[in-house]
Amino acid sequence: REINPSGKVYIMECAGDGKTSENLKRMGYNHENIPGVDEIIAIGEDGDFRDVDAEDLVAVEVKNRQYKKFPKFLKEKYYFDKTYYSADVVISLCCVKNHMNAGVTGGVKNVGLGARPAHVYANSKRKSMSPFVIGHSWEPINDFIHDYYSAKPVDFVLSDGLQGLAYGPSAQGAPSYEEAKMNMRLMLASRDAVACDTV
């Protein structure tokens, strides 16, 4: 705000399981706990199911894309929330954990999956992102993350590893949730999300 007092600051999220707005409330994402934020947005929660022509979306074609098996309704394009896509600066704020299908949840995966409009990519009208229409095994999910991220790379990443998580994304297969928690006591920050995730 010191650099641009008239700019807008948004928190935007598309959660994996359940309704994003309810998850944000559960986690205390509100104006009382986070003062100075203009709006807290649950990406794609209010749109019509699979309406890829909605006015609040931007459709992007990715050259040399890796992901190949698009459902027909996606029209070989990647869809972004218009507010997100038009942002001057995007900061990826993620909690470090491993992921059984994507390897690691870091700055790239955080937006390569976490910025998708729920009403487009959800597999049902409930608009919960789990399951979703993109293949979730190793190769397709990473190909999709690559393409989606490359269409709108972030400007800065802050990876919270103070309390990481093994057996990710949600401690599946862990002996207990307590044993899945990994106190790494670190924070990583960079303008280069790929370098940050590599560390």
Side-chain angles (χ1 to χ4, degrees), residues 178-189:
E178 286 302 314
E179 290 180 70
K181 292 194 298 187
M182 297 287 145
N183 188 346
M184 296 179 286
R185 298 180 182 174
L186 62 85
M187 298 287 286
L188 300 170

Side-chain angles (χ1 to χ4, degrees), residues 1 8-12 36-41 83-84 87:
R1 290 203 179 279
K8 300 289 185 185
V9 178
Y10 300 120
I11 292 175
M12 305 185 79
V37 172
D38 291 284
E39 194 173 350
I40 299 168
I41 300 170
T83 302
Y84 174 87

Side-chain angles (χ1 to χ4, degrees), residues 36-150:
V37 172
D38 291 284
E39 194 173 350
I40 299 168
I41 300 170
I43 299 176
E45 192 169 88
D46 297 326
D48 292 331
F49 182 56
R50 295 188 177 174
D51 179 11
V52 296
D53 298 316
E55 289 185 9
D56 61 344
L57 294 180
V58 173
V60 179
E61 291 186 28
V62 174
K63 293 181 180 178
N64 302 316
R65 66 170 199 223
Q66 305 295 305
Y67 191 79
K68 305 297 183 194
K69 297 181 179 178
F70 277 91
K72 285 185 180 180
F73 78 91
L74 290 177
K75 303 176 184 178
E76 307 286 315
K77 294 177 183 174
Y78 293 84
Y79 296 88
F80 290 83
D81 176 273
K82 190 177 283 186
T83 302
Y84 174 87
Y85 194 77
S86 63
D88 295 318
V89 177
V90 175
I91 299 170
S92 177
L93 180 62
C94 55
C95 177
V96 177
K97 58 187 182 292
N98 64 10
H99 189 280
M100 64 170 57
N101 301 106
V104 64
T105 292
V108 174
K109 187 259 182 193
N110 190 48
V111 297
L113 291 183
R116 298 157 300 132
H119 68 284
V120 173
Y121 289 99
N123 206 22
S124 76
K125 292 184 179 181
R126 291 184 302 115
K127 299 176 189 168
S128 171
M129 293 304 287
S130 183
F132 68 112
V133 298
I134 302 304
H136 223 61
S137 58
W138 177 261
E139 194 168 330
I141 198 172
N142 285 290
D143 288 346
F144 181 87
I145 291 168
H146 166 274
D147 294 351
Y148 202 84
Y149 180 83
S150 70

